[in-house]
Amino acid sequence: MAMSEGSSPGVTLPEAPASAGEGAVGDAGAAALAAGTGGRAKRTRVKAIMEATDDPLLGKTVAVKGWVRTKRDQKAFSFVEINDGSCMKGVQVVIPQDVPTYSAVERLTTGASVSVTGVVVESPGKGQRFEVKAQEVHVVGECPTEYPLQKKRHTLEFLRGIAHLRPRTNTIAAVARVRSALAQATHDFFREEGFLYLQSPIITASDCEGAGEMFRVTTLPSEVSKVPTLEDGSTDYSQDFFGKPAFLTVSGQLSGETHACALGDVYTFGPTFRAENSQTTRHLAEFWMIEPEMSFADLRDDMDNAEAFVKHVVSHAMEVCGSDLEFFNKFYDKELLQRLQRIKDKPFVRTEHERWLAETRYDTAVFVYDYPRDIKAFYMRDNEDGKTVAAMDLLVPGVGELIGGSQREERLEQLEAKMVEFNLSPEDYWWYNDLRRYGSVPHAGYGLGFERLVCYVTGVENIRDAIAFPRSPGSAEF
Ligand code: 4AD
Ligand code: MG
């Protein structure tokens, strides 16, 4: 897998229609737009030019605004590649020496922002159908030569050190586009399935996973000597903002259950936080999770929904991010597109935990279910064998655990006994237990780690490249 960033790899784009609302501007408006200070609505996105299949743009005047990737000067012309982030490729702009604003060309260095008005013409060059013949060129913002993203390959590690500039690279821009498409496909999927979108709280007093990996939220003084204490020397949280210890949530599940047990099928999609001290390529201290919760549902329903969801978002990404995924297939993982196609087309494997341990590994998505109860969370429903719980993980090659879910323990007596067994106090979870006290129903849900999904769909190996501003132990710059 290539681990560096090509600033201008020649990826061929599949042809796709220009999106509605993007296109040519009238000649009259063009001059006003060229100054680059406004006219957002009339700006033509580079994607509309590069992915146009038909000729409605040919011969039309457009205003293109973006950042210079490369420039080549020839006798009578200069060639400038402008990228505006709307697609992988930049548009080639040809600037004849006789345009009145030609003097601007000198200042069009790599990274400078630029506004060009010109006519869309057939490109004689290779790799693109259309280019723009400039009539007016304006430098919007100059870019001095110490700009760190000069035309050369940069490692992803180097780019993490300039997280504020890295979205201007092909790789990180493509990750951002794929991530956005996956988020939109998530909302589409659950809306189509009739789920309610719940916004669960970020500050919480309960540890959902019972793993004690929570960040504390407090307004108590940071100076140790000023922290109020009780007689036994422990912190007096009654004087803290919430009158008791509070934390950043590790999961929206418990809130999700309250709404599933009233509104049927719900999902959350928000940031979650874990203070586990792991410097792996699979863990973040702040990550986004999608957590559906379904009432009148068992573990099989849970797996069915998770499988349909993953297939849906992968299909959508393949549909709308074709050229980005081709880029990842070419530069990061030669089997990526094949693997995604398999996820889309083939049923996922389902195997009991005990059997999975004994069997050979699969090269596709595998649900492992019925885990030993001792290694899983307190809220998972005990199976009749007394040894296992109705839990499932979805494991995928390369990423490992993409989803963790379960049928929930809906029997009050069993749940309270298990809390005690797991050293949790049922009183702390009084409202959670009320769901079992008043009209309890079988219900199930799961959590999908959104950055792990982004890694899986792009083939990008390190989870810190799957989120705009990664937070991990010792690192919260930007
Ligand atoms: O398996 P987990 O811990 O499950 C839960 O939190 C349940 N409450 C979910 C539910 O049933 N509603 O986490 C779910 C998923 C994992 O499978 C993994 O993909 C991701 O969240 N995840 C992380 N992703 C990035 N960094 C971390 N530190 C992560 N921890 C878990
Ligand atoms: Mg898990």
Side-chain angles (χ1 to χ4, degrees):
M1 182 181 280
M3 285 310 288
S4 49
E5 154 73 19
S7 61
S8 195
V11 178
T12 325
L13 288 160
E15 303 216 310
S19 18
E22 293 182 318
V25 292
D27 289 273
L33 290 174
T37 46
R40 201 193 80 84
K42 297 252 175 77
R43 167 168 85 86
T44 300
R45 294 216 170 91
V46 169
K47 181 184 170 87
I49 301 170
M50 301 311 290
E51 299 187 0
T53 47
D54 232 335
D55 297 342
L57 275 180
L58 202 56
K60 293 279 168 19
T61 301
V62 293
V64 171
K65 300 174 192 212
W67 292 264
V68 174
R69 281 293 178 84
T70 58
K71 183 179 69 172
R72 275 182 300 128
D73 294 319
Q74 290 189 353
K75 272 222 178 84
F77 304 98
S78 286
F79 295 93
V80 180
E81 188 195 330
I82 298 178
N83 188 295
D84 70 356
S86 60
C87 65
M88 175 63 65
K89 291 202 84 174
V91 66
Q92 170 154 289
V93 175
V94 185
I95 311 171
Q97 263 182 18
D98 56 8
V99 302
T101 43
Y102 187 79
S103 62
V105 168
E106 203 182 309
R107 296 185 293 139
L108 290 181
T109 52
T110 295
S113 51
V114 60
S115 172
V116 171
T117 307
V119 178
V120 177
V121 297
E122 300 262 12
S123 176
K126 262 179 44 187
Q128 72 257 324
R129 170 127 189 247
F130 298 125
E131 60 188 26
V132 172
K133 189 160 177 243
Q135 293 162 329
E136 270 200 61
V137 186
H138 291 273
V139 178
V140 179
E142 290 184 7
C143 190
T145 50
E146 69 262 25
Y147 181 54
L149 294 174
Q150 298 298 332
K151 186 187 159 69
K152 64 167 188 160
R153 282 171 170 261
H154 300 291
T155 64
L156 291 174
E157 191 182 6
F158 168 78
L159 294 178
R160 265 169 241 143
I162 48 168
H164 59 308
L165 295 174
R166 67 178 184 164
R168 299 187 194 187
T169 64
N170 285 335
T171 298
I172 300 301
V175 169
R177 284 188 295 266
V178 172
R179 185 179 165 114
S180 174
L182 289 168
Q184 275 159 0
T186 294
H187 289 299
D188 289 345
F189 174 81
F190 288 110
R191 188 185 55 234
E192 279 159 26
E193 294 282 317
F195 281 57
L196 178 135
Y197 172 33
L198 169 73
Q199 294 82 38
S200 50
I202 286 169
I203 299 175
T204 175
S206 34
D207 183 357
C208 169
E209 293 305 298
E213 292 162 340
M214 307 180 86
F215 289 102
R216 174 153 289 147
V217 176
T218 181
T219 52
L220 291 178
S222 51
E223 220 174 302
V224 179
S225 62
K226 293 190 180 147
V227 174
T229 50
L230 298 168
E231 269 169 22
D232 67 356
S234 62
T235 302
D236 180 7
Y237 285 107
S238 70
Q239 296 190 46
D240 202 351
F241 190 91
F242 297 105
K244 60 188 291 212
F247 309 89
L248 294 178
T249 189
V250 297
S251 160
Q253 178 193 325
L254 304 191
S255 320
E257 285 187 51
T258 66
H259 278 57
C261 292
L263 294 150
D265 300 324
V266 306
Y267 73 106
T268 68
F269 186 176
T272 50
F273 307 86
R274 296 199 186 175
E276 50 195 336
N277 195 11
S278 45
Q279 291 279 9
T280 76
T281 57
R282 298 285 165 254
H283 292 87
L284 290 164
E286 177 180 303
F287 64 100
W288 284 63
M289 212 186 339
I290 295 151
E291 295 186 272
E293 193 69 34
M294 295 162 278
S295 56
F296 307 103
D298 62 13
L299 192 66
R300 179 191 291 262
D301 299 315
D302 210 29
M303 290 190 276
D304 288 347
N305 182 270
E307 179 165 347
F309 169 50
V310 171
K311 283 182 187 302
H312 176 87
V313 293
V314 166
S315 301
H316 181 79
M318 291 176 84
E319 219 169 274
V320 304
C321 299
S323 49
D324 290 324
L325 295 183
E326 277 174 36
F327 168 86
F328 289 119
N329 195 74
K330 186 167 177 187
F331 292 98
Y332 286 87
D333 182 351
K334 299 259 182 292
E335 280 160 25
L336 178 69
L337 289 175
Q338 238 182 334
R339 200 170 53 235
L340 295 178
Q341 192 68 42
R342 208 161 43 226
I343 285 287
K344 230 179 95 171
D345 297 341
K346 295 247 160 66
F348 295 180
V349 174
R350 299 184 186 197
T351 177
E352 283 171 26
H353 183 257
E354 202 169 323
R355 289 186 45 204
W356 175 75
L357 290 175
E359 280 167 10
T360 49
R361 300 293 179 264
Y362 302 90
D363 63 352
T364 185
V366 184
F367 281 112
V368 178
Y369 63 92
D370 286 353
Y371 279 79
R373 68 193 288 284
D374 308 335
I375 61 166
K376 286 291 185 184
F378 68 92
Y379 53 71
M380 297 179 176
R381 192 181 198 279
D382 278 342
N383 286 326
E384 302 310 321
D385 62 11
K387 292 185 209 133
T388 61
V389 282
M392 60 90 164
D393 281 354
L394 180 67
L395 312 179
V396 294
V399 166
E401 182 191 328
L402 179 62
I403 286 177
S406 63
Q407 185 172 339
R408 319 308 188 187
E409 184 56 81
E410 87 285 12
R411 300 163 296 187
L412 182 62
E413 214 174 296
Q414 276 88 339
L415 181 62
E416 287 189 332
K418 206 159 164 187
M419 284 176 166
V420 172
E421 188 189 328
F422 279 61
N423 285 322
L424 300 165
S425 110
E427 299 83 65
D428 290 347
Y429 292 87
W430 65 272
W431 56 270
Y432 186 70
N433 295 343
D434 267 1
L435 303 178
R436 282 76 183 160
R437 201 168 276 122
Y438 307 127
S440 188
V441 292
H443 59 288
Y446 60 89
L448 176 140
F450 192 52
E451 287 72 24
R452 291 193 188 175
L453 177 69
V454 173
C455 285
Y456 186 68
V457 173
T458 59
V460 163
E461 278 184 341
N462 194 319
I463 199 163
R464 293 171 202 191
D465 302 320
I467 187 166
F469 301 105
R471 271 84 180 92
S472 55
S475 165
E477 189 74 39
F478 308 106

